[in-house]
């Protein structure tokens, strides 16, 4: 096990009907901005509930935060926060809205000249942030209980991540019934996103981190068990509750504490989204199986463990077991309705070179748990994904 | 899954050689009291390391906190803290020292007339506490990352628990090498304590809390895998690191969030310790197998799951599988050198009635996940433990 720090002060408020507790969770007297995405938060009543709970607070609304939230949109929110002297932010939505709110919380207090520097430095230069919280409506990214986010610059087509200990939500309300109105596609994307988050902290090389492995395997087993039924049974509370808590635990720092990590699938995926507009989860479903195939030798020990403990594959030669586990992974994504080939999204060989060029430009020269995945390797992974 | 709140702000600092980081972890200018137990903290160099790291701080020492820390000892610490105007407490030791430090942190600021009221009300009346942290030397109780403790009143022979959100350590340093000097018996006790902590949050009835179940099972599997080797291989870093992190996660609130709990084994065990001086873990090893046997009908669903997922028992009729799982549990404790019968500790039938009397006096009339375990039931459990 590697040495580690684990710190996560977010207060999770989990269960049906708990949005009303905002009344006492948000500091008395705070001037609040509620940030949200499209129309669904209003349409499905969540915004009304939030407004009712915060009827004693001064409230301002900022809507229109898009999936893959943009720097350009968020800087408009920052201007309003500063102008209105807002002192508490409340994200109502999924990972994009929460990520965006984290950026607004930091940028509104940023001492430097150019808030883009926050993303250039990955958040290391954040020294102050507004307090904020979230009401989660879409289980997927884990942003509701972690200290990071990802922002897209529409002008430069770059997607950059940032993190800082000041960016933990003070609290997050996780009400599984808020997911009932989600389109199937978004739920499926959430399952894939959470699954890949776990894999990127698990599928590296064995390091005797026994509990972290067991926890990661437990999350994967749960996603495999509930993924499809949770999509199909829209108002099944138990399935949606399990999906919501699993997705949160997939990226709250716990299973990643003390272990090597490999975020190469995410890094390549980000470029696919920035260039071609694919959903984040679609890019992960495309890249992960090919990445496991391409790195099957380096990842052999963990792939065999994954095959046995997660998929119950114990028969056959090691190479066969690994192939079967990778095939099962791909089939699982496909079974959820998330296609796993570039061609499924209308992309062919010509789509690859621009991705590699972006990776080079963004300094993604040495990815993976061993820092040895070069842009040429990423090219090979993308070829396996055609 | 039940609704829940999860909140745990303790910063974990995990790894070899990290005690030196106290220098910047403890607030600059703080007047610090270091609380510890017997001679081992000095003898094995941990206190020296702490003093070296805090050479820029005003330091005061308070030693002699006993296993099952006593109200009487701790009130002496409280008097010194108040007299010296201490503003930061540092526990150096295992669960007893950390529990004791939590009580001192609360009692030193207590507004009421009689600090024993803190224990009478289970900590609900704590409105202020000194900030504190810990350097853990004994993996067992999880106190290093939770908000509770247990204190014994030597005069009344009662052992009472208390908890409050103000009682999370600010940080806890977990250095697995600090466990190398522990007597085997203490390591074995720690394994049993952690195992039973998990069982009391897991072995109740099925509630579709899939991740909590998987996590609990992962902790149990890990303890079964590493328990004996971790005792035998004193300086095996990986084994000790896994034991340390497993014991912390066994009682930091995570696996208990959203599930029913059954702390009856602990409650009966506390009385055995208070009356007869048995080690805490010894009492758990005595009670748990009998409790599972006595409650095998109410706990059937979870016992079958435990048999299959933790012990790999899939053959035979349900009753046989349950019997085998309970027998394996008992054998596991025995294999660690922790005896599981009252007679092994020189206690016979006559020891039982005083325990039941104490349970009655302490209001423990309805224990268990269904609140239906009466003192008569506890008597039957103790008879099965003879």
């Amino acid at each position: 096990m590697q040495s580690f720090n684990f710190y996560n002060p977010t207060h999770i408020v989990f269960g049906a009907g708990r949005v009303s507790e905002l009344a006492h969770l948000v500091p008395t007297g705070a001037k609040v901005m509620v940030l949200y995405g499209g129309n669904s938060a209003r349409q499905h009543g969540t915004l009304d509930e939030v407004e009712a709970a915060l009827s004693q607070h001064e409230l301002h609304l900022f809507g229109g935060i898009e999936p893959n939230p943009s720097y350009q949109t968020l800087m408009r929110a920052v201007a309003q926060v500063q102008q209105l002297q807002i002192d508490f932010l409340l994200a109502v939505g999924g990972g994009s809205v929460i990520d965006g709110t984290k950026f607004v919380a930091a940028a509104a207090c940023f001492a430097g000249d150019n808030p883009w520097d926050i993303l250039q430095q990955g958040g290391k230069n954040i020294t102050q942030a507004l307090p904020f919280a979230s009401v989660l409506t879409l289980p997927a990214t884990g942003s509701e209980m972690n200290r990071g986010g990802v922002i897209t610059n529409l002008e430069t087509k770059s997607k950059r991540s940032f993190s800082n200990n000041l960016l933990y939500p003070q609290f997050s309300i996780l009400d599984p019934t808020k997911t009932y109105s989600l389109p199937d596609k978004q739920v499926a994307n959430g399952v894939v996103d959470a699954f890949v988050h776990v894999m990127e902290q698990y599928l590296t090389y064995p390091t005797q981190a026994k509990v972290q492995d067991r926890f990661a395997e437990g999350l994967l087993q749960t996603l495999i068990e509930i993924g499809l039924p949770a999509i199909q049974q829209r108002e099944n509370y138990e399935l949606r509750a399990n999906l919501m808590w699993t997705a949160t635990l997939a990226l709250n720092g716990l299973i990643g504490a003390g272990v090597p990590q490999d975020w190469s699938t995410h890094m390549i995926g980000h470029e696919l989204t920035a260039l071609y507009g694919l959903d984040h989860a679609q890019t992960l479903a495309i890249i992960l199986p090919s990445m496991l195939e391409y790195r099957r030798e380096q990842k052999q020990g963990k792939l065999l463990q994954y095959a046995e403990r997660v998929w119950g594959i114990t028969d056959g030669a090691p190479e066969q077991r690994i192939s079967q586990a990778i095939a099962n992974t791909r089939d699982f994504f496909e079974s959820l309705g998330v296609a796993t080939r570039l061609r499924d999204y209308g992309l062919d060989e010509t789509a690859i070179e621009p991705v590699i060029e972006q990776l080079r430009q963004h300094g993604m020269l040495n990815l993976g748990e061993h820092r040895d995945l070069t842009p040429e390797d990423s090219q090979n992974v993308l070829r396996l994904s055609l």
Side-chain angles (χ1 to χ4, degrees), chain A residues 72-238:
Chain A
Q72 286 72 18
T73 299
L74 298 170
M75 285 309 295
R76 288 194 292 114
V78 169
Q80 289 191 28
V81 164
Q82 290 172 333
Q83 192 199 338
L84 294 163
Q85 299 188 289
I86 296 292
D87 46 30
F88 194 92
L89 307 180
L90 182 67
V92 177
S96 295
V97 174
I98 304 172
D99 281 12
T101 300
K102 288 176 179 176
F103 180 74
V104 174
C109 308
F110 189 59
D113 294 331
N114 183 359
W116 182 251
D117 287 347
I118 292 174
L119 298 163
Q120 291 286 20
Q121 295 199 31
K124 286 196 188 76
N125 49 349
I126 297 169
T127 56
Q128 212 187 332
L130 287 178
F132 68 97
S134 82
V135 174
L136 182 68
T137 59
L138 170 57
T141 75
S143 189
E144 64 278 8
M145 198 186 184
N146 68 34
R147 58 179 218 130
V150 182
I151 304 298
T152 299
N153 192 323
L154 295 176
E155 285 167 15
T156 58
K157 289 200 174 177
S158 55
K159 209 173 162 182
R160 308 300 288 266
S161 59
F162 64 112
S163 65
N164 192 287
N165 268 358
L166 295 167
L167 298 184
Y168 285 103
Q170 282 203 348
F171 63 85
S172 285
I173 298 180
L174 276 56
D175 176 348
T177 69
K178 294 291 161 212
T179 71
Y180 292 174
S181 56
L182 288 171
D184 293 355
K185 184 186 168 189
Q186 286 192 29
V187 181
N189 278 347
V191 175
V192 170
D193 197 19
F195 193 94
V196 177
H197 284 157
V198 179
M199 289 292 275
E200 296 193 281
Q201 298 166 88
Y202 167 70
L203 213 304
T204 56
Y205 52 88
T207 53
Q208 297 275 339
K210 293 176 190 292
V211 176
Q212 291 91 327
D213 279 1
R214 294 283 186 192
F215 279 17
E217 288 151 0
L219 294 171
L220 296 171
Q221 286 173 295
T222 303
L223 288 168
I224 292 165
E225 184 182 339
I226 68 171
L228 188 55
I231 298 167
Q232 293 170 332
Q233 299 172 42
R234 192 168 275 214
E235 303 206 355
N236 183 319
Y237 181 84
E238 293 300 342

Side-chain angles (χ1 to χ4, degrees), chain A residues 236-247:
Chain A
N236 183 319
Y237 181 84
E238 293 300 342
L239 287 170
R240 291 294 173 97
N242 277 288
L243 175 56
M244 206 166 213
W245 192 219
T246 300

Side-chain angles (χ1 to χ4, degrees), chain A residues 54 93 103 119 130 154 166 183 256 264 289 295 297 372 374:
Chain A
L54 294 176
F103 180 74
L119 298 163
L130 287 178
L154 295 176
L166 295 167
S264 55
R295 303 279 272 185
E297 280 180 35
D372 63 352
T374 64

